[in-house]
Amino acid sequence: MRWPRQLMSLLFVLTLLAGPPIVLLSLIGAPLQGWPTAAQAQEWVQNPLTEQTLTAALTIAAWLVWLLLAYTVTIRVLARLSATVSWLRRMPLPTPLQATAGGIAGAAVLGVSSHAITAPPPPPTQPATAGALDEAGKPTPPVGDVLADAGISVAGGWLPREAAEQVSAAAALVWLRRRRSYRPRPPGPPSREDTDLAPMPPTVVAVQAALADSTPPPTEPGGASAGSSMFDRPSDGGAFPRDGVGLTGLGAQDAARGLLVTSLLAGHHHPAVSVVVTRPVLAGLLGPTAETLARRLPGLAVIEKIGQAAGFFPGDHPGRGLGGRDPAQQDTQEGTGPPGPTLIVGEASATDNAETLASLAITSAAVAVLGRWPSGQTWQVDPSGRTHHQDSSESAGPRMCVLTQVTATDLLTVIAHPDPAPPEPDTSGPSRNPALAGRSPQWEATAQDHPVRSGNDKRRLHLRVLGQPTLLLDGHPVEIRRTAALQVLVFLAAHPDGADTRQLTDAIWPGLPRRSLTGRLYTTLSDLRTTIRSTAGVTFIEHSDDRYRLDPTAVTVDLWHFHHTVRDATTTVATDATTWKAVIDAYPGDLAARRTWPWLDPIREATRRHVIDAHAALASASPDAREALAWLQAGIRIDPYNADLHTRAVTALIALGDHDAAEHLRKDYARRLAAAGILPTNTALTTATLRDQPAIPTR
């Protein structure tokens, strides 16, 4: 408990404030007993180092030290009071309708008896974020700082909401592409560390968590953000002036990175170049990794000189607009099609090529100059992205996306082309993921450490995390009041070896300062333990050496049973179809289905791949072609995005002579990928004869 420590701290501060004055007044007296007389001053000049003068000097020093201490305490108290007042002002008050509904609900609660075991609530239409309730059980803001001007603050920058949504969508596409590209491998141990199971960068995870349960704020006048979309025409009231803008101030570099990232995000679905940047500027923005990252970024063109940029813009340059027509006539003769790419250059290059740059600005989405721009406006950007017109008395400009070098690199990772495919994993043992080197695959439970439930198991509590996560007591669901508490249960189920405070807070509340989350975690765990203890009379969350873990002797977990089944299937000397059917039967659904917690993705995908391997193994081992096709179709229902399963199924249908069904499956798969925003692989479903498709051996 923290209140005894807080009380002792208060008593100590009061003692420091009251003790010295009491001692000084009782021993020496008041600090000022009148001004010295002329005789006393003359005596002090003639003989300054007397016992009386030394005592007076020490007394004055003691009073000065006390005054400094009192000033410091006063400032801290005033700052705390100011923060409390600000929090009270921001605290949302219930509307009259909400207050009426709350009163009716309170009367209903007081009028009926409550039960600890309740029917499960209906599944939410939208996934709830971690920490939906604070320490007092009240709603809290979503993870991340969602600001009034439609933006989200992350560690190392600020993003417009549109850009944040594009980051989240791009991260989801990364996992879909990984699912599409995965090829079922020969059965092996349940511990897998595939190279493509590395989690998203921390900044991307923080953005995903911030958007998980937030709604777009209403658009406010003057709330437009610069660089949120590359298709906002500057000449049509967009954020950037038609003739370009110079960026100066402490936030100029961060704003240029933000413009680079938001433009690439907005255009990464389009084949055309969306950003043109000079090589020196790119090196200054992205640092040592600029060259390597630039080769993997679609839509990015790196030039040495501004004159090379003309090839990426429509029209003839310099001096003319689209199709060589005069720029003044261009707007009336051309449609309102998308503009050209965003152009980012340095001050020296812009000054030496002012005419060329002005010509390119006509058909660009935006032109930004790092430094003063004599031929156009110059904005001074502060570290938060706020802009001010440097050469005029106009009101402040739009807020720009600002990103540090590390944050920008993290966000660009989700749209960069993947590194060259690694060699096929060694099928004689588990593959190793360099990104996870040095860490144990904690989501893989061992059979001996976590026994599965048997027919005479007396444990009453069962945690179901495959499918909709639910805690069951004697088969009845237990209501978990806090969403964060449910997330803690699923996280500990996926990490049977336990997790410390840092791992839990980083997973459940990513992107927020850890020092502000420890108390929230303790409150969440305390509420969870109280709920379980009052319901079942026991608690199964152990805590020792700052590690939390589920007690396997008090609760059974379906995920542990699943991995036990996988281990049995892969370690049995003579593996047959029965063992792999047991794996499939132990998988009722995806891990924490319909939950969008970012930390889930690698573990969820690793678990799904075990089931895909089982379906592929059964299909390869089946002597009957139609039975093999049925296993492949069942695997497709588990993962409808996997190209390898679709290729095998198309091949099986053609072998059975059902060409219409094969063509229907191929087109349906192509439509599904197109709807998700991805394309089939070059080798998948492009030919009707795939006789060289490798089969998965059985043991």
Side-chain angles (χ1 to χ4, degrees):
M1 299 179 66
R2 292 184 296 175
W3 69 265
R5 294 196 300 269
Q6 294 175 348
L7 179 60
M8 292 299 297
S9 299
L10 178 61
L11 293 176
F12 179 72
V13 172
L14 293 177
T15 302
L16 285 180
L17 290 177
I22 293 175
V23 173
L24 290 173
L25 291 174
S26 60
L27 295 180
I28 301 174
L32 294 178
Q33 299 178 353
W35 293 100
T37 63
Q40 290 175 335
Q42 184 178 2
E43 181 182 356
W44 178 80
V45 172
Q46 293 175 354
N47 189 14
L49 298 178
T50 63
E51 181 179 354
Q52 184 178 3
T53 58
L54 290 175
T55 302
L58 292 175
T59 302
I60 293 173
W63 278 108
L64 290 176
V65 171
W66 178 83
L67 287 173
L68 178 62
L69 176 63
Y71 171 79
T72 303
V73 172
T74 302
I75 293 299
R76 292 294 300 273
V77 170
L78 291 177
R80 183 65 62 86
L81 289 176
S82 176
T84 303
V85 171
S86 300
W87 176 80
L88 290 175
R89 289 176 178 175
R90 295 194 304 267
M91 184 175 63
L93 297 177
T95 63
L97 181 60
Q98 291 174 332
T100 303
I104 295 174
V109 170
L110 294 176
V112 299
S113 60
S114 60
H115 298 278
I117 301 177
T118 63
T125 56
Q126 292 183 352
T129 54
L133 296 174
D134 62 8
E135 290 82 352
K138 300 177 180 179
T140 62
V143 179
D145 187 9
V146 181
L147 303 179
D149 49 357
I152 292 178
S153 293
V154 295
W158 178 88
L159 290 88
R161 185 182 181 88
E162 181 182 357
E165 291 172 347
Q166 290 166 347
V167 169
S168 182
L173 284 180
V174 169
W175 284 108
L176 285 182
R177 291 191 184 98
R178 292 176 177 181
R179 292 171 61 179
R180 176 200 63 184
S181 303
Y182 175 68
R183 299 185 63 184
R185 69 184 191 185
S191 174
R192 65 189 316 145
E193 296 177 6
D194 300 351
T195 56
D196 62 342
L197 289 181
M200 293 291 105
T203 305
V204 178
V205 172
V207 170
Q208 288 178 298
L211 292 174
D213 193 34
S214 62
T215 55
T219 303
E220 299 180 0
S225 300
S228 61
S229 174
M230 68 168 290
F231 296 112
D232 289 337
R233 290 290 304 239
S235 59
D236 300 331
F240 283 84
R242 169 183 283 278
D243 54 353
V245 64
L247 303 177
T248 61
L250 297 177
Q253 289 274 346
D254 292 348
R257 291 189 195 94
L259 180 61
L260 173 73
V261 171
T262 53
S263 298
L264 288 174
L265 283 170
H268 83 281
H269 284 303
H270 304 274
V273 171
S274 54
V275 176
V276 178
V277 60
T278 56
R279 192 176 303 277
V281 169
L282 183 66
L285 296 180
L286 300 183
T289 62
E291 289 292 334
T292 303
L293 188 58
R295 288 193 292 267
R296 298 172 49 207
L297 286 173
L300 177 64
V302 184
I303 59 176
E304 299 291 344
K305 300 179 181 179
I306 293 182
Q308 300 173 344
F312 301 102
F313 290 80
D316 300 329
H317 302 280
R320 307 295 290 178
L322 288 173
R325 290 187 294 273
D326 187 271
Q329 303 174 353
Q330 180 175 310
D331 288 341
T332 60
Q333 297 184 18
E334 292 296 326
T336 58
T342 296
L343 180 60
I344 307 175
V345 298
E347 180 178 5
S349 300
T351 304
D352 295 340
N353 302 270
E355 183 179 352
T356 301
L357 196 61
S359 176
L360 295 175
I362 296 173
T363 56
S364 68
V367 172
V369 179
L370 273 177
R372 290 186 60 85
W373 176 225
S375 301
Q377 298 184 30
T378 296
W379 291 351
Q380 188 171 7
V381 189
D382 64 20
S384 67
R386 305 287 183 183
T387 60
H388 305 273
H389 296 283
Q390 185 168 320
D391 302 323
S392 67
S393 58
E394 298 179 16
S395 60
R399 187 175 188 182
M400 296 189 66
C401 174
V402 284
L403 302 171
T404 62
Q405 192 174 101
V406 174
T407 304
T409 303
D410 281 356
L411 297 181
L412 290 174
T413 301
V414 298
I415 60 173
H417 291 306
D419 291 324
E424 289 295 326
D426 182 9
T427 59
S428 61
S431 59
R432 304 296 297 175
N433 182 353
L436 303 177
R439 302 191 308 176
S440 61
Q442 295 180 335
W443 59 82
E444 306 292 355
T446 58
Q448 59 271 24
D449 293 338
H450 307 284
V452 299
R453 190 169 192 152
S454 59
N456 58 355
D457 200 322
K458 301 302 182 182
R459 286 171 287 184
R460 304 171 59 202
L461 286 168
H462 177 65
L463 179 58
R464 185 172 62 202
V465 297
L466 294 175
Q468 185 70 15
T470 309
L471 178 63
L472 301 172
L473 174 62
D474 295 332
H476 300 281
V478 177
E479 182 182 15
I480 304 299
R481 192 169 63 96
R482 298 171 181 263
T483 306
L486 181 62
Q487 191 172 175
V488 167
L489 284 179
V490 179
F491 189 88
L492 294 179
H495 298 75
D497 293 336
D500 56 26
T501 301
R502 178 188 61 81
Q503 292 171 321
L504 284 171
T505 54
D506 287 351
I508 299 174
W509 298 286
L512 295 182
R514 192 176 300 136
R515 63 180 179 274
S516 66
L517 300 175
T518 303
R520 188 185 300 184
L521 176 64
Y522 291 159
T523 303
T524 300
L525 289 169
S526 176
D527 181 81
L528 178 60
R529 285 173 163 173
T530 300
T531 299
I532 298 172
R533 189 182 299 111
S534 62
T535 303
V538 297
T539 180
F540 56 81
I541 301 179
E542 299 178 341
H543 183 209
S544 61
D545 298 331
D546 194 37
R547 289 191 71 82
Y548 298 89
R549 64 188 294 267
L550 299 182
D551 182 4
T553 63
V555 63
T556 59
V557 182
D558 60 349
L559 182 62
W560 298 353
H561 172 72
F562 173 79
H563 285 300
H564 180 94
T565 307
V566 173
R567 187 174 298 277
D568 282 351
T570 56
T571 56
T572 303
V573 177
T575 301
D576 55 19
T578 303
T579 58
W580 288 113
K581 289 178 182 177
V583 172
I584 296 173
D585 293 339
Y587 185 81
D590 289 341
L591 177 63
R594 302 181 64 180
R595 302 288 172 165
T596 57
W597 306 323
W599 62 266
L600 270 174
D601 290 322
I603 310 174
R604 177 185 284 160
E605 179 61 18
T607 307
R608 183 190 292 115
R609 289 182 179 183
H610 291 310
V611 188
I612 294 176
D613 291 345
H615 283 89
L618 288 170
S620 298
S622 176
D624 181 76
R626 294 195 176 276
E627 182 183 6
L629 176 62
W631 286 119
L632 291 172
Q633 291 172 332
I636 290 174
R637 286 192 291 271
I638 296 294
D639 190 353
Y641 293 96
N642 186 267
D644 189 85
L645 291 178
H646 281 82
T647 300
R648 294 173 186 237
V650 168
T651 305
L653 287 169
I654 293 175
L656 291 172
D658 195 345
H659 294 271
D660 291 340
E663 183 65 13
H664 176 76
L665 178 61
R666 185 189 66 80
K667 290 182 177 180
D668 183 66
Y669 179 60
R671 283 193 298 267
R672 183 179 297 112
L673 294 182
I678 55 179
L679 298 175
T681 57
N682 294 332
T683 58
L685 309 179
T686 56
T687 178
T689 56
L690 298 173
R691 300 185 182 91
D692 58 344
Q693 179 66 38
I696 293 184
T698 58
R699 297 185 180 183

